Amino acid sequence: MPEARLDQGTSFLDRNIGRLAGGPLPSWPYRIAIAIALTLAFFGLRIAFGPFLGHVVGFSLLIPAVLLSGLAGGFAASLLTIALCIFGMSFLMGHGAALGIPNNPFPPSALSFALIGTVCGAVGASLRHSLRRLHLAHGQLYAVMTEHRTVARELRAIIDQASAGIVRADLAGVVLEANARFAEMVGRPLDQIVGHNVIEFTHPGDLDGLRYDINTAARMERTSWQLEQRYVRPDGGIIRALVDVRALQDNDGQSYAVLAIILDITATREAEDALSETRHSFRTIADSVPVMLWLTDNSNNGRFVNRAYLEFTGTSLDEVTPDDWQSYLHPEDFDRTRSIFMAGMASGEPFTMLARYRRHDGQWRWLRSMHQPRYDRDGNRIGLIGTAFDITETHEAAARIQESEARFRTIADSAPAVIWMVDAQGNTEFGNRRFRRVFGGMPPHRLLSTLRSMTHPEDLPSFDQTLADATREERRFSFLGRICHPTYGERWIRTEAAPRYDISGTLVGFTGVSVDATESQRAERDLKRINELLEERVSAALAEKAKAEADLVRSHRLEAVGRLTGGVAHDFNNLLTVIMGGLEIIRKTEDPARRQKMVEAALAAARRGERLTGQLLAFSRRQTLRPSSTDINALIKEGEPLLHQAVGDGMTLTFKLKSGPAPVLVDSAKFEAALINLLVNARDASPADGRISVETADYSVPALADPELPLGTPAPAPKSTKPAIHPSDLLPGRYIRVTVADNGSGMTEDVQRRVFEPFFTTKGVGHGTGLGLSQVYGFTRQSGGSISIQSEPDKGTRINLFLPWLDPRLAPTPDADLSDEVIVHPQPDQDASAEPPKNERLLLVEDDHDVAALAAAVLSGEGLQVERVPNAAEALKRLDNETFDILLSDILMPGGMSGIELANRVSEVWPNMRVVLSSGFPGEAEALRNTPWAFLPKPYTPSQLRAVLKPRRA
């Protein structure tokens, strides 16, 4: 242990006495030397002062020598000094004459000197011992203070370098000391922290807890605790910290301050929040997907299952076990599926299983499950990710398709005709049994080439041209020609073929039927012209329809177009079956009653086709509307009996109409038809004692905050607290909302997305055409409004029609021009009592031979002189050379000039000539709105044709 210095801050005498007495006790030789030296020194002083002392012995001068000997060498040295002093004085007394010291016998004062010297030596020795102990204590204290300063410097360095904030504060919360890390955390310099209360930079939300902790520490209710605290930086940033607090106590156990260790956990908490949000998002997404999803570890223990999994099994999350999926397996699929699963687990590769599983309701469902290994960030396999899709309907559909294909092959093999399919290159893909018999064995590789090689030389150019045109234009084709068969000789073959397209609208080949027409050619030679005309018309109609289908597929490429085409083809085939069958019976029968019955059936089928066309035009928003100012409430009240009849007796139909009028500009007849369609749908979707309501209300669509918001995005909610129920493409403005609500089975989201598609229906076969809601949709959009659906399975359906509100002050007069949103064209007067003009010349411009023949026959029977031309160019030539009173022209015609252009030319050159235009496309009427020409829509009857040509009224 280092010895401390005692001479700091003391006098010269103190410092030297300290040096003399502060050291360790010297050895005996050193003690003797001290005694001799001090004795000699003081004897020298005695001799030096001898002349001044006279006869005085002077023992008192030697007392300091004894005291100093005790201080320097201890009690033994002082005794030795006493002995030496007495001996020396005795010597001086006997021989001191030469030194001026009187010769006296040994004085009695020597005994007093010995006693006093002994006491002074003892005092000096004791003083030396005390000084020595003081010196050692001071050295120890100095060493402790030095070590304390070193430790304090090291501790300060550790505190300043610590990664955590450290704060010492009193029991009022005032900071007494803080390190640099804490200052960095709270974003303040130390001089703005020390001496300030921690409340100044504590988050307001944590102040109550902080005050409570300080108070409990002051009351000594606890000495250490841990809490999570937030601090506010000057820039507004929030620091989240984990604080470990310990109370500092004095020797009496009283708390006088607290020491806090603050660890910045902001990044940790943000990471935990992000992880929690990620997990929540993952679960939300996983629970939202309509497929089962699960995660397992390497032991096949379930780590996660989504809602679809639990809904399928009918269990809760706690009931899920590693192998519970095996308990749902169909017994017939158990061994096979388990073998696939074990092999897939062992391989470590993705694998797929297809099996039947029992759903919670007891139904067996086909599930396709896909298993994908999952790995950690180091690439170690940690389990599986599994998904399962319910493909029951798909599997059953595939089975039905296979069954349908089998039935098709059976029917095709039983058919008395050659049925074949080729690809786009003419390679044979299918041939029925008669095909194989006619062409010998298996189908030839290139059917069309084989047919061409058998075709009669006179018919070969026609065959080549027909095939080339059909391939180039991707249309249906029909060919009647002779082939030279090596076995059957020369035969007449009638071939009908239609193009086939893939889902993207690309031509993939043709499907055809070839029939031996030799006998029919011989038997019906006298009807050849009629048959050729019919075949031409059928072929042209089929080609036009095929081209329209191809254009729709190529332009839209939507599955809905396929359903639309199939629905139209299905319904029109039904109608054509009635018409063609009836005409065939008319041709063969001589019974007038039966002929009349067949004529009526054919006319009824034609009218059904007209209605079907009207429904399709309603969906496409091209139907003819006659809008007028209408009070929806009054219209509904007026039609209540009819509406009750549409719903039926067993259901409850209620009306909740807004107070006051509900003015709109609509075609009232079309609105009533749309409302009845909605009520019938609601009735069919509701139970026998269901409840249906019809509601009307005012509805406003606010202007969008962002005018660039694209259509299709969810509509923003109005300023009111009610959520928006209108579609996003509804323009801002005021509307009348008409709602039909029921408590029926409701709709799924998939059904809601497709419910307005033509021919889409969820009803059974024979219980709906699928055009009702599409007609309502087209009517509403054509009337300037829109439509929305609110529905959930088993919770009923609300269908909302939004029709633009009409200010009664701005209601159009009967003669006023209507909005462009409504298609209106002049209607022929149906007064059949008026007779058409007699003996006038009429120029009929019609490219359709059959329509022209019908119109010419009707008009000729009425006394008109009719001249027929097929196009506008021929009409102009006849007009230049002849005089006519009336022009009746189709609008859409070949040759480059339309009927409207022809009418304009006639009005300029022959202004007194009456003009009547006709078209099967009502959209053409829009162009005739502001013209003086009459318009006759197709299809029309002879009575309508006669009515439109009646004389003008004065």
Side-chain angles (χ1 to χ4, degrees), residues 870-901:
N871 53 54
E874 292 292 334
L876 291 174
K877 290 180 182 180
R878 297 293 294 270
L879 288 170
D880 288 336
N881 299 320
E882 301 178 39
T883 301
F884 293 92
D885 301 297
I886 304 173
L887 173 67
L888 173 59
S889 175
D890 192 8
I891 293 180
L892 298 178
M893 294 182 296
M897 179 179 288
S898 69
I900 295 178
E901 293 172 332

Side-chain angles (χ1 to χ4, degrees), residues 613-626 667 670-671 673-674 774-783 821-825 921-923 926:
T613 303
Q615 290 176 314
L616 294 175
L617 290 174
F619 170 73
S620 64
R621 289 175 281 169
R622 292 299 180 187
Q623 65 177 331
T624 300
L625 295 183
R626 298 182 180 87
D667 186 323
K670 293 295 191 296
F671 172 79
S774 62
Q775 183 179 4
V776 175
Y777 173 82
F779 160 74
T780 307
R781 297 301 301 272
Q782 189 174 352
S783 299
E821 290 295 325
V822 183
I823 298 174
V824 178
H825 54 77
F921 182 57
E926 184 67 21

Side-chain angles (χ1 to χ4, degrees), residues 190-373:
L190 285 173
D191 58 357
Q192 295 182 13
I193 296 175
V194 177
H196 293 261
N197 200 299
V198 293
I199 292 177
E200 297 178 14
F201 34 86
T202 299
H203 191 278
D206 297 339
L207 290 179
D208 292 341
L210 178 63
R211 294 190 180 99
Y212 173 79
D213 292 333
I214 293 175
N215 293 334
T216 56
R219 295 193 300 268
M220 296 183 61
E221 295 180 2
R222 54 180 176 174
T223 59
S224 63
W225 64 94
Q226 191 178 79
L227 71 154
E228 189 170 323
Q229 193 84 14
R230 290 173 294 175
Y231 298 101
V232 182
R233 296 169 58 90
D235 59 4
I238 304 298
I239 300 298
R240 301 174 68 174
L242 183 64
V243 184
D244 195 344
V245 185
R246 183 174 298 276
L248 302 179
Q249 298 178 339
D250 55 19
N251 293 334
D252 297 331
Q254 298 295 322
S255 298
Y256 63 90
V258 292
L259 181 66
I261 308 298
I262 301 101
L263 182 63
D264 187 350
I265 59 172
T266 304
T268 302
R269 289 293 181 261
E270 290 176 352
E272 290 176 352
D273 293 343
L275 179 59
S276 177
E277 178 64 24
T278 301
R279 288 175 175 172
H280 176 72
S281 299
F282 168 75
R283 176 168 287 279
T284 301
I285 294 173
D287 286 342
S288 300
V289 296
V291 298
M292 287 178 275
L293 176 66
W294 64 90
L295 302 178
T296 66
D297 57 20
N298 284 327
S299 300
N300 199 33
N301 293 318
R303 307 293 296 178
F304 170 80
V305 294
N306 70 340
R307 182 182 302 167
Y309 184 100
L310 299 177
E311 290 176 350
F312 183 89
T313 59
T315 59
S316 64
L317 188 61
D318 297 335
E319 296 173 332
V320 176
T321 61
D323 297 322
D324 63 348
W325 61 275
Q326 299 183 32
S327 62
Y328 304 115
L329 270 171
H330 195 282
E332 297 177 2
D333 300 337
F334 185 87
D335 294 336
R336 173 181 57 82
T337 305
R338 180 170 175 79
S339 298
I340 296 174
F341 179 79
M342 298 305 295
M345 288 289 291
S347 68
E349 299 293 331
F351 62 94
T352 302
M353 301 189 306
L354 176 63
R356 288 166 291 179
Y357 296 82
R358 187 182 66 255
R359 200 167 59 186
H360 67 88
D361 57 3
Q363 291 189 15
W364 293 102
R365 308 292 293 178
W366 282 95
L367 300 183
R368 183 186 300 278
S369 58
M370 290 174 284
H371 305 259
Q372 179 78 29

Side-chain angles (χ1 to χ4, degrees), residues 770-802:
L771 289 174
L773 286 180
S774 62
Q775 183 179 4
V776 175
Y777 173 82
F779 160 74
T780 307
R781 297 301 301 272
Q782 189 174 352
S783 299
S786 191
I787 186 170
S788 70
I789 294 180
Q790 300 169 270
S791 182
E792 293 184 26
D794 300 326
K795 294 186 178 180
T797 301
R798 292 176 63 87
I799 298 184
N800 306 292
L801 306 185
F802 299 92

Side-chain angles (χ1 to χ4, degrees), residues 493-515:
I493 297 295
R494 184 188 308 279
T495 299
E496 297 283 346
R500 293 185 296 113
Y501 302 95
D502 60 15
I503 194 172
S504 63
T506 303
L507 180 70
V508 296
F510 287 87
T511 300
V513 177
S514 298
V515 181

Side-chain angles (χ1 to χ4, degrees), residues 166-170 174-179 248 256-260 262:
I166 300 176
V167 173
R168 183 169 62 89
D170 62 17
V174 177
V175 178
L176 303 176
E177 188 176 5
N179 67 343
L248 302 179
Y256 63 90
V258 292
L259 181 66
I262 301 101

Side-chain angles (χ1 to χ4, degrees), residues 778-851:
F779 160 74
T780 307
R781 297 301 301 272
Q782 189 174 352
S783 299
S786 191
I787 186 170
S788 70
I789 294 180
Q790 300 169 270
S791 182
E792 293 184 26
D794 300 326
K795 294 186 178 180
T797 301
R798 292 176 63 87
I799 298 184
N800 306 292
L801 306 185
F802 299 92
L803 299 173
W805 179 81
L806 177 66
D807 189 340
R809 298 171 298 177
L810 303 178
T813 62
D815 298 329
D817 188 17
L818 298 178
S819 170
D820 290 340
E821 290 295 325
V822 183
I823 298 174
V824 178
H825 54 77
Q827 296 293 318
D829 193 340
Q830 302 299 322
D831 184 7
S833 63
E835 295 292 334
K838 304 290 185 179
N839 301 320
E840 289 188 341
R841 302 196 69 202
L842 183 144
L843 181 59
L844 174 62
V845 187
E846 175 60 64
D847 62 314
D848 190 296
H849 177 77
D850 294 342
V851 175

